[in-house]
Each structure stands twice: as structure tokens, then as C-alpha cells.
Amino acid sequence: MSRIRVVFGIGGLHGGGAERQMITVLQHLDRSLFQPFLYLVYRTGPLVREVPEDVPVVAFDERWQGARWPGVFMHGRRVADMKAYLAEVQADVCYDRTFLMTLIAAEAAQALNVPNVSTVVTEPGHAFPLLAGRFQNMKRRMLRRLYSNSTNVLANSNGAARAAEQFYGLTSDSIETIYNAIDLERIDRLSAVPVAHAWRVAESTRPVFRIVTAGRLTTQKGFDLLIDAVAEIQKERPAVELRLAILGEGVDRDNFQAKINHHDLQTQVVMPGFMENAVAWYHEADLLVLPSLFEGFPNVLMEAMSCGTSVLSSDCPFGPAELLEKGRWGQLCEVGSLMDLKRGMLRYIDQPGCAESMAEDAKRHVRETFGVSEIMSKLQRVLIEAADR
């Protein structure tokens, strides 16, 4: 029996959760059943080098040799090029991740009658206005049509699935949930590597409480609030030295650095950039904090929990509360509230014994529930059924 030829599509391979999940899928897809191909809009991002060697990779930015027009005109060129690529490789299924890629990949696949599977990775009520750019009403109508005509639509959380149905005007229960997968072998391998940064190894005359967070350096991630919280707690708990590491890169780096300087926290709050081995930092931390304004189903929380690290997250409309089961596996705090964020952090600082017990329970739960083999079997079933149609 010939293998199912699947073209996977995503904009680029930067360090976000959607990109990490794409790499995990490509690494663990059953090669006896599937032949994977990867189509990018831009061949950019540190995760490009983690694409398995047997996966052919193409990028529109390299394939297109014509003039560069404004985005609305380039969209048509991207759809046309992906149609051409799907035909070139004789694709049996097209799979895309993120709504921006759905606009390209689903359009191309449906024009060729190639079965397509699209994945919703963020709650659109909050994410769409911030990420969609220009012509949002038109894009929203396009996505409603594309999702309605897709062979399958998936979401990485139940909350995101129901919210997307409402936002795009889709029929009830038309989106299936398949949670993000976590590669436990990778987690165990990376967490065993020591962190040599001063955040971890610098000596202190006081007990040290290490905090870590990770994501794109944008206001959506709430890092400015976290810096303020560290500054205020440090004044209230001078006997403890707080150290915060913010992992990632993004457009608001200078704004966050200015806030760090304003609080005179240059030696305690560090932004070392994108870390290929962020897991090691999670493992070395006493607490991972995710103060985002909105999330999908955050890999950062899953990876920290799988290391046995305590977690605190803002109670976004969807995602973290579902993963943490409303506080069973980690603390939740009110979105955008400095007071509640401080209160949550102080629970961990002042009650380390309780925090450790919850972290161990969370570690067991994540490893039993979101292992890569179980999640991949569900995704592969969807791909096989899509190809059969």
C-alpha cells in the first residue's frame, strides 16, 4: 500500500507553540503510513533546523521570483504557489496550523479538491483582532467559508473549538479537539542539561527564588505586568532574592528592558533571548509564570509541568484553565491584575511545601495525558480518514 502524502503548512518556524507542535508532528509521524512534506511561507526561525532530514521543505519566499506587491495581492500569489506545490507532490491531504496559514493552505487545497485538515490554535475572539492585520472582516468571512468546507477542523482545546465555532458562525461541534502533544523523551533529555547562566549559578547571601517565563516579547504575553510584580514583591520580601528570566525575542524587547531599568532590576531580571533548550530553564526554576492576556493551549505550561516545576498562569478565557483543570494542577490568577498576580506568586514563595506537592501531581498528570504517542494516534486517524474521503 502506498503511503499517504501529507503536505504540512505553516508560516514559519519561530519558537511559538504552534511551530513547536508542527515540529513534534513531523518528528513522530508514522513513516510506514505517511510521507510528509513541509510548505512554509518563509524559511525562517530557529526550529527550521529541527525539521527531520527526510521531510522535503519548500518556502514560498524562495519559490516566488516575481515582484513583491502589498499583502492583499501577494495572498493570491501564495495560494497559487501552494496549489502548484500540492499538484507537484500529488498530495493526498493538506494540513495547516494557525488561521493565517489556513487562509492560504485551505484555499489552495479546496481549489484542487485535495482533502484538508485545518487547526485552530488560539481563541479567535482575542487573537484574531491582534493577529489578522488588515481587511479583518474579509478574512473572517473567508475563514468561515474555508472552515465550513474543510474535510476536518481541529482545535488544541475544547474552549478554542467552541469559541471558534461561535466566532466564525460554524455549526455546533463541527470542530474536534486534539490536544497538543508533549515529547517526554525530549523533555527528559533537555531538562538534564545544566543552565550555566548567572540567573542560575550566581551566588547570593540570601535564599534565591528563581522564576522563568517564555514567549514572544509582545504585550500580549503580559511580561510588563510580571516585571512590575517582581519589583513590588522584592520590596515586600527583601529577605529573598527574586530572579526572573524572560525567554524569547520580539518587538517589545526595548519596552520591557526600559521597565526593568526603571525598577533597577538589571541584575535580577534577564532577557537572554530565544533559548533552544528552554526546558532546562523550566527545570531549574522554582516557578514558571505565564501572565498572558490570551493563550491557546500553552506548550510552555505543559513543558514546565512535565519537568515537575510549579506553574502560575493568568486565567485566560480559554487554554490555561482547561490544562490546569481550573487550578487543580497549578495556580490561576486574574488576567491583567497586578494584585492577583502578586498574590499567586507569593503563595509559592511563602508555601514551598504545598507548591512541590502540587507540582509532582501535575507532572504525573501531564505525562499520562499528553504523551506524544497518544496524541499522534488521534491525529493520524484524522489524516487517514481525510485521505479516504
Side-chain angles (χ1 to χ4, degrees), residues 10 16-19 21-22 95-102 118-124 127 131 147 153-157 159-161 164 168 175 178-180 216 220-221 294-299 318-320:
I10 195 166
E19 293 93 337
Q21 284 299 307
M22 182 65 83
Y95 172 96
D96 67 75
R97 204 167 179 103
T98 76
F99 73 82
L100 292 172
M101 196 64 201
T102 297
S118 294
T119 305
V120 176
V121 299
T122 54
E123 184 274 307
L131 302 176
Y147 288 140
V153 182
L154 308 176
N156 60 0
S157 73
Y168 295 113
I175 301 180
I178 296 182
Y179 289 120
N180 289 350
R216 291 191 179 93
Q220 174 250 318
K221 290 298 183 179
F294 63 85
E295 283 287 345
F297 200 74
N299 281 2
F318 305 99

mmCIF file of all heavy atoms in Angstrom, residues 10 16-19 21-22 95-102 118-124 127 131 147 153-157 159-161 164 168 175 178-180 216 220-221 294-299 318-320:
data_model
loop_
_atom_site.group_PDB
_atom_site.id
_atom_site.type_symbol
_atom_site.label_atom_id
_atom_site.label_comp_id
_atom_site.label_asym_id
_atom_site.label_seq_id
_atom_site.Cartn_x
_atom_site.Cartn_y
_atom_site.Cartn_z
ATOM 1 N N ILE A 10 2.697 25.908 7.345
ATOM 2 C CA ILE A 10 2.743 26.875 8.433
ATOM 3 C C ILE A 10 3.579 28.064 7.943
ATOM 4 O O ILE A 10 4.411 27.915 7.031
ATOM 5 C CB ILE A 10 3.339 26.254 9.718
ATOM 6 C CG1 ILE A 10 3.050 27.132 10.943
ATOM 7 C CG2 ILE A 10 4.831 25.976 9.573
ATOM 8 C CD1 ILE A 10 3.299 26.425 12.273
ATOM 9 N N GLY A 16 7.284 29.676 18.680
ATOM 10 C CA GLY A 16 5.974 29.626 19.302
ATOM 11 C C GLY A 16 5.441 28.216 19.463
ATOM 12 O O GLY A 16 5.994 27.249 18.936
ATOM 13 N N GLY A 17 4.318 28.116 20.178
ATOM 14 C CA GLY A 17 3.733 26.811 20.447
ATOM 15 C C GLY A 17 3.266 26.097 19.196
ATOM 16 O O GLY A 17 3.430 24.877 19.062
ATOM 17 N N ALA A 18 2.652 26.836 18.257
ATOM 18 C CA ALA A 18 2.179 26.204 17.020
ATOM 19 C C ALA A 18 3.343 25.625 16.232
ATOM 20 O O ALA A 18 3.248 24.525 15.666
ATOM 21 C CB ALA A 18 1.409 27.221 16.178
ATOM 22 N N GLU A 19 4.451 26.349 16.191
ATOM 23 C CA GLU A 19 5.619 25.886 15.457
ATOM 24 C C GLU A 19 6.249 24.669 16.126
ATOM 25 O O GLU A 19 6.655 23.718 15.465
ATOM 26 C CB GLU A 19 6.645 27.012 15.332
ATOM 27 C CG GLU A 19 6.190 28.172 14.459
ATOM 28 C CD GLU A 19 5.527 29.282 15.266
ATOM 29 O OE1 GLU A 19 5.036 28.995 16.372
ATOM 30 O OE2 GLU A 19 5.516 30.430 14.798
ATOM 31 N N GLN A 21 4.702 22.501 17.947
ATOM 32 C CA GLN A 21 3.828 21.362 17.701
ATOM 33 C C GLN A 21 3.995 20.826 16.288
ATOM 34 O O GLN A 21 3.950 19.609 16.061
ATOM 35 C CB GLN A 21 2.375 21.753 17.951
ATOM 36 C CG GLN A 21 2.007 21.839 19.423
ATOM 37 C CD GLN A 21 2.178 20.503 20.144
ATOM 38 O OE1 GLN A 21 1.649 19.479 19.720
ATOM 39 N NE2 GLN A 21 2.922 20.518 21.244
ATOM 40 N N MET A 22 4.201 21.700 15.319
ATOM 41 C CA MET A 22 4.432 21.237 13.955
ATOM 42 C C MET A 22 5.689 20.371 13.884
ATOM 43 O O MET A 22 5.702 19.317 13.232
ATOM 44 C CB MET A 22 4.544 22.431 13.002
ATOM 45 C CG MET A 22 4.727 22.035 11.544
ATOM 46 S SD MET A 22 3.301 21.177 10.845
ATOM 47 C CE MET A 22 2.251 22.582 10.410
ATOM 48 N N TYR A 95 -2.505 19.699 5.508
ATOM 49 C CA TYR A 95 -2.719 20.007 6.934
ATOM 50 C C TYR A 95 -2.080 21.360 7.225
ATOM 51 O O TYR A 95 -0.906 21.581 6.921
ATOM 52 C CB TYR A 95 -2.071 18.925 7.799
ATOM 53 C CG TYR A 95 -2.053 19.228 9.286
ATOM 54 C CD1 TYR A 95 -3.033 18.727 10.132
ATOM 55 C CD2 TYR A 95 -1.038 19.996 9.851
ATOM 56 C CE1 TYR A 95 -3.009 18.980 11.493
ATOM 57 C CE2 TYR A 95 -1.004 20.265 11.206
ATOM 58 C CZ TYR A 95 -1.994 19.751 12.018
ATOM 59 O OH TYR A 95 -1.964 20.019 13.373
ATOM 60 N N ASP A 96 -2.854 22.284 7.792
ATOM 61 C CA ASP A 96 -2.284 23.588 8.156
ATOM 62 C C ASP A 96 -2.510 23.875 9.626
ATOM 63 O O ASP A 96 -3.417 23.331 10.252
ATOM 64 C CB ASP A 96 -2.889 24.700 7.290
ATOM 65 C CG ASP A 96 -4.362 24.924 7.552
ATOM 66 O OD1 ASP A 96 -4.713 25.510 8.596
ATOM 67 O OD2 ASP A 96 -5.188 24.502 6.708
ATOM 68 N N ARG A 97 -1.663 24.757 10.143
ATOM 69 C CA ARG A 97 -1.737 25.128 11.560
ATOM 70 C C ARG A 97 -1.616 26.644 11.667
ATOM 71 O O ARG A 97 -0.692 27.211 11.113
ATOM 72 C CB ARG A 97 -0.619 24.430 12.351
ATOM 73 C CG ARG A 97 -0.939 24.286 13.835
ATOM 74 C CD ARG A 97 0.012 23.335 14.511
ATOM 75 N NE ARG A 97 -0.326 23.260 15.930
ATOM 76 C CZ ARG A 97 -0.975 22.258 16.514
ATOM 77 N NH1 ARG A 97 -1.332 21.217 15.805
ATOM 78 N NH2 ARG A 97 -1.255 22.290 17.801
ATOM 79 N N THR A 98 -2.534 27.296 12.343
ATOM 80 C CA THR A 98 -2.754 28.739 12.525
ATOM 81 C C THR A 98 -3.710 29.245 11.451
ATOM 82 O O THR A 98 -3.650 28.810 10.300
ATOM 83 C CB THR A 98 -1.472 29.610 12.506
ATOM 84 O OG1 THR A 98 -1.015 29.771 11.182
ATOM 85 C CG2 THR A 98 -0.383 29.013 13.398
ATOM 86 N N PHE A 99 -4.566 30.200 11.837
ATOM 87 C CA PHE A 99 -5.588 30.671 10.900
ATOM 88 C C PHE A 99 -4.973 31.441 9.733
ATOM 89 O O PHE A 99 -5.529 31.457 8.627
ATOM 90 C CB PHE A 99 -6.644 31.513 11.619
ATOM 91 C CG PHE A 99 -6.212 32.879 12.049
ATOM 92 C CD1 PHE A 99 -6.211 33.944 11.168
ATOM 93 C CD2 PHE A 99 -5.817 33.125 13.362
ATOM 94 C CE1 PHE A 99 -5.826 35.222 11.565
ATOM 95 C CE2 PHE A 99 -5.430 34.388 13.776
ATOM 96 C CZ PHE A 99 -5.423 35.447 12.869
ATOM 97 N N LEU A 100 -3.815 32.080 9.936
ATOM 98 C CA LEU A 100 -3.175 32.779 8.831
ATOM 99 C C LEU A 100 -2.732 31.805 7.744
ATOM 100 O O LEU A 100 -2.795 32.118 6.549
ATOM 101 C CB LEU A 100 -1.977 33.586 9.343
ATOM 102 C CG LEU A 100 -2.333 34.786 10.246
ATOM 103 C CD1 LEU A 100 -1.076 35.395 10.848
ATOM 104 C CD2 LEU A 100 -3.124 35.835 9.474
ATOM 105 N N MET A 101 -2.311 30.602 8.138
ATOM 106 C CA MET A 101 -1.935 29.599 7.136
ATOM 107 C C MET A 101 -3.167 28.951 6.532
ATOM 108 O O MET A 101 -3.142 28.552 5.358
ATOM 109 C CB MET A 101 -1.025 28.549 7.767
ATOM 110 C CG MET A 101 -0.298 27.707 6.732
ATOM 111 S SD MET A 101 0.829 28.740 5.736
ATOM 112 C CE MET A 101 1.048 27.711 4.282
ATOM 113 N N THR A 102 -4.249 28.853 7.294
ATOM 114 C CA THR A 102 -5.491 28.309 6.739
ATOM 115 C C THR A 102 -5.948 29.138 5.544
ATOM 116 O O THR A 102 -6.450 28.602 4.551
ATOM 117 C CB THR A 102 -6.590 28.285 7.813
ATOM 118 O OG1 THR A 102 -6.189 27.407 8.882
ATOM 119 C CG2 THR A 102 -7.922 27.795 7.248
ATOM 120 N N SER A 118 -7.540 21.644 8.906
ATOM 121 C CA SER A 118 -7.074 22.918 9.437
ATOM 122 C C SER A 118 -7.151 22.901 10.958
ATOM 123 O O SER A 118 -8.054 22.284 11.532
ATOM 124 C CB SER A 118 -7.915 24.076 8.886
ATOM 125 O OG SER A 118 -7.716 24.220 7.497
ATOM 126 N N THR A 119 -6.212 23.590 11.607
ATOM 127 C CA THR A 119 -6.133 23.562 13.063
ATOM 128 C C THR A 119 -6.216 24.963 13.653
ATOM 129 O O THR A 119 -5.464 25.858 13.258
ATOM 130 C CB THR A 119 -4.818 22.896 13.524
ATOM 131 O OG1 THR A 119 -4.718 21.603 12.941
ATOM 132 C CG2 THR A 119 -4.781 22.756 15.032
ATOM 133 N N VAL A 120 -7.128 25.132 14.596
ATOM 134 C CA VAL A 120 -7.292 26.378 15.348
ATOM 135 C C VAL A 120 -6.425 26.285 16.599
ATOM 136 O O VAL A 120 -6.593 25.368 17.400
ATOM 137 C CB VAL A 120 -8.764 26.592 15.741
ATOM 138 C CG1 VAL A 120 -8.925 27.841 16.598
ATOM 139 C CG2 VAL A 120 -9.646 26.656 14.499
ATOM 140 N N VAL A 121 -5.508 27.229 16.786
ATOM 141 C CA VAL A 121 -4.567 27.136 17.906
ATOM 142 C C VAL A 121 -4.716 28.260 18.922
ATOM 143 O O VAL A 121 -4.038 28.255 19.949
ATOM 144 C CB VAL A 121 -3.105 27.072 17.404
ATOM 145 C CG1 VAL A 121 -2.889 25.855 16.536
ATOM 146 C CG2 VAL A 121 -2.728 28.335 16.649
ATOM 147 N N THR A 122 -5.577 29.234 18.644
ATOM 148 C CA THR A 122 -5.832 30.295 19.615
ATOM 149 C C THR A 122 -7.316 30.607 19.631
ATOM 150 O O THR A 122 -8.030 30.366 18.652
ATOM 151 C CB THR A 122 -5.076 31.592 19.266
ATOM 152 O OG1 THR A 122 -5.398 31.979 17.928
ATOM 153 C CG2 THR A 122 -3.582 31.417 19.409
ATOM 154 N N GLU A 123 -7.774 31.150 20.740
ATOM 155 C CA GLU A 123 -9.174 31.568 20.859
ATOM 156 C C GLU A 123 -9.342 32.828 20.015
ATOM 157 O O GLU A 123 -8.720 33.858 20.299
ATOM 158 C CB GLU A 123 -9.492 31.819 22.332
ATOM 159 C CG GLU A 123 -10.923 32.172 22.622
ATOM 160 C CD GLU A 123 -11.164 33.665 22.473
ATOM 161 O OE1 GLU A 123 -10.425 34.438 23.090
ATOM 162 O OE2 GLU A 123 -12.104 34.032 21.730
ATOM 163 N N PRO A 124 -10.142 32.787 18.947
ATOM 164 C CA PRO A 124 -10.125 33.883 17.967
ATOM 165 C C PRO A 124 -10.717 35.196 18.456
ATOM 166 O O PRO A 124 -10.369 36.252 17.918
ATOM 167 C CB PRO A 124 -10.941 33.314 16.795
ATOM 168 C CG PRO A 124 -11.816 32.279 17.411
ATOM 169 C CD PRO A 124 -11.016 31.682 18.527
ATOM 170 N N ALA A 127 -7.480 36.675 19.825
ATOM 171 C CA ALA A 127 -6.298 36.580 18.981
ATOM 172 C C ALA A 127 -6.511 37.191 17.599
ATOM 173 O O ALA A 127 -5.606 37.842 17.064
ATOM 174 C CB ALA A 127 -5.888 35.116 18.845
ATOM 175 N N LEU A 131 -3.910 39.675 15.500
ATOM 176 C CA LEU A 131 -3.002 38.992 14.595
ATOM 177 C C LEU A 131 -3.416 39.041 13.128
ATOM 178 O O LEU A 131 -2.589 38.798 12.251
ATOM 179 C CB LEU A 131 -2.872 37.511 15.013
ATOM 180 C CG LEU A 131 -2.391 37.249 16.444
ATOM 181 C CD1 LEU A 131 -2.400 35.755 16.728
ATOM 182 C CD2 LEU A 131 -1.009 37.835 16.673
ATOM 183 N N TYR A 147 -13.329 26.996 6.712
ATOM 184 C CA TYR A 147 -13.579 26.017 7.769
ATOM 185 C C TYR A 147 -14.825 25.185 7.459
ATOM 186 O O TYR A 147 -14.850 23.971 7.682
ATOM 187 C CB TYR A 147 -13.745 26.714 9.118
ATOM 188 C CG TYR A 147 -12.469 27.283 9.711
ATOM 189 C CD1 TYR A 147 -12.475 28.527 10.348
ATOM 190 C CD2 TYR A 147 -11.266 26.592 9.649
ATOM 191 C CE1 TYR A 147 -11.309 29.059 10.900
ATOM 192 C CE2 TYR A 147 -10.103 27.116 10.200
ATOM 193 C CZ TYR A 147 -10.135 28.352 10.823
ATOM 194 O OH TYR A 147 -8.984 28.868 11.368
ATOM 195 N N VAL A 153 -11.784 20.132 10.808
ATOM 196 C CA VAL A 153 -11.215 21.270 11.528
ATOM 197 C C VAL A 153 -10.920 20.787 12.942
ATOM 198 O O VAL A 153 -11.788 20.197 13.597
ATOM 199 C CB VAL A 153 -12.165 22.481 11.564
ATOM 200 C CG1 VAL A 153 -11.483 23.650 12.281
ATOM 201 C CG2 VAL A 153 -12.570 22.885 10.153
ATOM 202 N N LEU A 154 -9.713 21.034 13.381
ATOM 203 C CA LEU A 154 -9.273 20.632 14.707
ATOM 204 C C LEU A 154 -8.989 21.865 15.549
ATOM 205 O O LEU A 154 -8.762 22.953 15.019
ATOM 206 C CB LEU A 154 -8.002 19.777 14.624
ATOM 207 C CG LEU A 154 -8.031 18.576 13.683
ATOM 208 C CD1 LEU A 154 -6.661 17.894 13.658
ATOM 209 C CD2 LEU A 154 -9.114 17.586 14.101
ATOM 210 N N ALA A 155 -8.976 21.704 16.859
ATOM 211 C CA ALA A 155 -8.546 22.750 17.785
ATOM 212 C C ALA A 155 -7.704 22.099 18.866
ATOM 213 O O ALA A 155 -7.839 20.898 19.139
ATOM 214 C CB ALA A 155 -9.741 23.479 18.395
ATOM 215 N N ASN A 156 -6.832 22.897 19.490
ATOM 216 C CA ASN A 156 -5.963 22.333 20.524
ATOM 217 C C ASN A 156 -6.553 22.423 21.928
ATOM 218 O O ASN A 156 -5.903 22.068 22.898
ATOM 219 C CB ASN A 156 -4.571 22.982 20.476
ATOM 220 C CG ASN A 156 -4.617 24.476 20.700
ATOM 221 O OD1 ASN A 156 -5.677 25.073 20.897
ATOM 222 N ND2 ASN A 156 -3.455 25.110 20.666
ATOM 223 N N SER A 157 -7.795 22.896 22.040
ATOM 224 C CA SER A 157 -8.510 22.857 23.325
ATOM 225 C C SER A 157 -9.998 22.907 23.046
ATOM 226 O O SER A 157 -10.444 23.386 21.997
ATOM 227 C CB SER A 157 -8.095 24.022 24.235
ATOM 228 O OG SER A 157 -8.635 25.243 23.758
ATOM 229 N N GLY A 159 -12.111 24.731 24.665
ATOM 230 C CA GLY A 159 -12.517 26.128 24.715
ATOM 231 C C GLY A 159 -12.288 26.831 23.391
ATOM 232 O O GLY A 159 -13.147 27.575 22.906
ATOM 233 N N ALA A 160 -11.120 26.604 22.783
ATOM 234 C CA ALA A 160 -10.829 27.214 21.485
ATOM 235 C C ALA A 160 -11.768 26.696 20.411
ATOM 236 O O ALA A 160 -12.194 27.448 19.517
ATOM 237 C CB ALA A 160 -9.380 26.947 21.095
ATOM 238 N N ALA A 161 -12.132 25.417 20.482
ATOM 239 C CA ALA A 161 -13.045 24.838 19.496
ATOM 240 C C ALA A 161 -14.413 25.509 19.554
ATOM 241 O O ALA A 161 -14.955 25.947 18.530
ATOM 242 C CB ALA A 161 -13.182 23.335 19.732
ATOM 243 N N ALA A 164 -14.214 29.206 18.465
ATOM 244 C CA ALA A 164 -14.057 29.363 17.022
ATOM 245 C C ALA A 164 -15.374 29.125 16.297
ATOM 246 O O ALA A 164 -15.700 29.826 15.333
ATOM 247 C CB ALA A 164 -12.983 28.413 16.508
ATOM 248 N N TYR A 168 -16.758 32.273 14.085
ATOM 249 C CA TYR A 168 -16.854 32.160 12.627
ATOM 250 C C TYR A 168 -18.248 31.748 12.153
ATOM 251 O O TYR A 168 -18.468 31.605 10.947
ATOM 252 C CB TYR A 168 -15.816 31.163 12.108
ATOM 253 C CG TYR A 168 -14.393 31.607 12.329
ATOM 254 C CD1 TYR A 168 -13.561 30.927 13.218
ATOM 255 C CD2 TYR A 168 -13.871 32.718 11.667
ATOM 256 C CE1 TYR A 168 -12.249 31.338 13.431
ATOM 257 C CE2 TYR A 168 -12.558 33.133 11.881
ATOM 258 C CZ TYR A 168 -11.762 32.443 12.754
ATOM 259 O OH TYR A 168 -10.463 32.858 12.969
ATOM 260 N N ILE A 175 -15.973 21.300 15.192
ATOM 261 C CA ILE A 175 -14.520 21.288 15.391
ATOM 262 C C ILE A 175 -14.175 20.250 16.453
ATOM 263 O O ILE A 175 -14.725 20.262 17.555
ATOM 264 C CB ILE A 175 -14.008 22.682 15.813
ATOM 265 C CG1 ILE A 175 -14.357 23.725 14.751
ATOM 266 C CG2 ILE A 175 -12.509 22.644 16.043
ATOM 267 C CD1 ILE A 175 -13.896 25.127 15.084
ATOM 268 N N ILE A 178 -8.066 18.001 19.500
ATOM 269 C CA ILE A 178 -6.907 17.133 19.707
ATOM 270 C C ILE A 178 -5.857 17.989 20.408
ATOM 271 O O ILE A 178 -5.346 18.951 19.837
ATOM 272 C CB ILE A 178 -6.358 16.564 18.389
ATOM 273 C CG1 ILE A 178 -7.401 15.650 17.727
ATOM 274 C CG2 ILE A 178 -5.066 15.786 18.649
ATOM 275 C CD1 ILE A 178 -6.919 14.995 16.440
ATOM 276 N N TYR A 179 -5.556 17.660 21.628
ATOM 277 C CA TYR A 179 -4.644 18.473 22.431
ATOM 278 C C TYR A 179 -3.226 18.457 21.863
ATOM 279 O O TYR A 179 -2.843 17.559 21.104
ATOM 280 C CB TYR A 179 -4.615 17.968 23.872
ATOM 281 C CG TYR A 179 -5.877 18.241 24.655
ATOM 282 C CD1 TYR A 179 -6.625 17.203 25.201
ATOM 283 C CD2 TYR A 179 -6.322 19.544 24.857
ATOM 284 C CE1 TYR A 179 -7.779 17.449 25.927
ATOM 285 C CE2 TYR A 179 -7.473 19.806 25.580
ATOM 286 C CZ TYR A 179 -8.203 18.757 26.111
ATOM 287 O OH TYR A 179 -9.345 19.007 26.821
ATOM 288 N N ASN A 180 -2.460 19.452 22.253
ATOM 289 C CA ASN A 180 -1.036 19.461 21.920
ATOM 290 C C ASN A 180 -0.359 18.237 22.519
ATOM 291 O O ASN A 180 -0.735 17.768 23.602
ATOM 292 C CB ASN A 180 -0.367 20.723 22.455
ATOM 293 C CG ASN A 180 -0.781 21.973 21.699
ATOM 294 O OD1 ASN A 180 -1.424 21.896 20.654
ATOM 295 N ND2 ASN A 180 -0.416 23.122 22.224
ATOM 296 N N ARG A 216 6.971 35.071 22.879
ATOM 297 C CA ARG A 216 7.360 36.234 22.083
ATOM 298 C C ARG A 216 7.294 37.488 22.953
ATOM 299 O O ARG A 216 6.369 37.645 23.762
ATOM 300 C CB ARG A 216 6.449 36.377 20.865
ATOM 301 C CG ARG A 216 6.653 35.281 19.823
ATOM 302 C CD ARG A 216 5.931 35.606 18.526
ATOM 303 N NE ARG A 216 6.151 34.570 17.533
ATOM 304 C CZ ARG A 216 5.358 33.523 17.339
ATOM 305 N NH1 ARG A 216 4.280 33.383 18.086
ATOM 306 N NH2 ARG A 216 5.627 32.621 16.417
ATOM 307 N N GLN A 220 1.038 41.129 24.438
ATOM 308 C CA GLN A 220 0.034 40.074 24.632
ATOM 309 C C GLN A 220 0.466 39.070 25.694
ATOM 310 O O GLN A 220 -0.362 38.462 26.374
ATOM 311 C CB GLN A 220 -0.206 39.342 23.305
ATOM 312 C CG GLN A 220 -1.115 38.118 23.394
ATOM 313 C CD GLN A 220 -0.368 36.822 23.190
ATOM 314 O OE1 GLN A 220 0.482 36.739 22.311
ATOM 315 N NE2 GLN A 220 -0.672 35.810 23.979
ATOM 316 N N LYS A 221 1.766 38.912 25.883
ATOM 317 C CA LYS A 221 2.271 37.913 26.834
ATOM 318 C C LYS A 221 2.284 38.418 28.275
ATOM 319 O O LYS A 221 2.534 37.646 29.204
ATOM 320 C CB LYS A 221 3.680 37.471 26.425
ATOM 321 C CG LYS A 221 3.705 36.643 25.156
ATOM 322 C CD LYS A 221 2.938 35.336 25.299
ATOM 323 C CE LYS A 221 3.018 34.464 24.072
ATOM 324 N NZ LYS A 221 2.284 33.186 24.233
ATOM 325 N N PHE A 294 -4.066 36.322 26.496
ATOM 326 C CA PHE A 294 -4.814 35.198 25.920
ATOM 327 C C PHE A 294 -3.814 34.135 25.490
ATOM 328 O O PHE A 294 -2.649 34.407 25.233
ATOM 329 C CB PHE A 294 -5.691 35.636 24.738
ATOM 330 C CG PHE A 294 -4.940 36.175 23.553
ATOM 331 C CD1 PHE A 294 -4.432 35.328 22.577
ATOM 332 C CD2 PHE A 294 -4.738 37.541 23.409
ATOM 333 C CE1 PHE A 294 -3.737 35.827 21.491
ATOM 334 C CE2 PHE A 294 -4.045 38.054 22.314
ATOM 335 C CZ PHE A 294 -3.547 37.198 21.355
ATOM 336 N N GLU A 295 -4.294 32.896 25.425
ATOM 337 C CA GLU A 295 -3.468 31.757 25.024
ATOM 338 C C GLU A 295 -4.353 30.746 24.307
ATOM 339 O O GLU A 295 -5.573 30.814 24.369
ATOM 340 C CB GLU A 295 -2.827 31.079 26.249
ATOM 341 C CG GLU A 295 -1.634 31.811 26.825
ATOM 342 C CD GLU A 295 -0.385 31.695 25.963
ATOM 343 O OE1 GLU A 295 -0.363 30.827 25.071
ATOM 344 O OE2 GLU A 295 0.565 32.470 26.165
ATOM 345 N N GLY A 296 -3.699 29.802 23.644
ATOM 346 C CA GLY A 296 -4.406 28.662 23.083
ATOM 347 C C GLY A 296 -4.356 27.531 24.091
ATOM 348 O O GLY A 296 -5.113 27.487 25.058
ATOM 349 N N PHE A 297 -3.442 26.595 23.868
ATOM 350 C CA PHE A 297 -3.193 25.517 24.839
ATOM 351 C C PHE A 297 -1.684 25.507 25.045
ATOM 352 O O PHE A 297 -0.956 24.833 24.332
ATOM 353 C CB PHE A 297 -3.698 24.184 24.286
ATOM 354 C CG PHE A 297 -3.934 23.139 25.333
ATOM 355 C CD1 PHE A 297 -5.037 23.233 26.176
ATOM 356 C CD2 PHE A 297 -3.075 22.070 25.480
ATOM 357 C CE1 PHE A 297 -5.267 22.268 27.144
ATOM 358 C CE2 PHE A 297 -3.299 21.104 26.444
ATOM 359 C CZ PHE A 297 -4.414 21.199 27.276
ATOM 360 N N PRO A 298 -1.197 26.300 26.000
ATOM 361 C CA PRO A 298 0.219 26.691 26.030
ATOM 362 C C PRO A 298 1.204 25.555 26.274
ATOM 363 O O PRO A 298 1.182 24.900 27.312
ATOM 364 C CB PRO A 298 0.271 27.725 27.155
ATOM 365 C CG PRO A 298 -0.942 27.479 27.974
ATOM 366 C CD PRO A 298 -1.979 26.930 27.062
ATOM 367 N N ASN A 299 2.106 25.362 25.298
ATOM 368 C CA ASN A 299 3.195 24.394 25.442
ATOM 369 C C ASN A 299 4.072 24.708 26.641
ATOM 370 O O ASN A 299 4.590 23.802 27.296
ATOM 371 C CB ASN A 299 4.079 24.412 24.191
ATOM 372 C CG ASN A 299 3.476 23.635 23.043
ATOM 373 O OD1 ASN A 299 2.387 23.101 23.153
ATOM 374 N ND2 ASN A 299 4.177 23.596 21.941
ATOM 375 N N PHE A 318 -9.627 30.930 27.545
ATOM 376 C CA PHE A 318 -9.543 29.514 27.217
ATOM 377 C C PHE A 318 -8.089 29.091 27.293
ATOM 378 O O PHE A 318 -7.186 29.910 27.210
ATOM 379 C CB PHE A 318 -10.081 29.245 25.801
ATOM 380 C CG PHE A 318 -11.480 29.742 25.587
ATOM 381 C CD1 PHE A 318 -11.696 30.952 24.963
ATOM 382 C CD2 PHE A 318 -12.557 29.012 26.036
ATOM 383 C CE1 PHE A 318 -12.986 31.423 24.770
ATOM 384 C CE2 PHE A 318 -13.848 29.472 25.850
ATOM 385 C CZ PHE A 318 -14.074 30.679 25.218
ATOM 386 N N GLY A 319 -7.843 27.817 27.455
ATOM 387 C CA GLY A 319 -6.497 27.275 27.391
ATOM 388 C C GLY A 319 -5.914 26.911 28.741
ATOM 389 O O GLY A 319 -6.020 25.746 29.164
ATOM 390 N N PRO A 320 -5.308 27.861 29.464
ATOM 391 C CA PRO A 320 -4.663 27.506 30.724
ATOM 392 C C PRO A 320 -5.605 26.870 31.751
ATOM 393 O O PRO A 320 -5.238 25.883 32.397
ATOM 394 C CB PRO A 320 -4.125 28.857 31.225
ATOM 395 C CG PRO A 320 -3.859 29.623 29.983
ATOM 396 C CD PRO A 320 -4.973 29.238 29.045
#
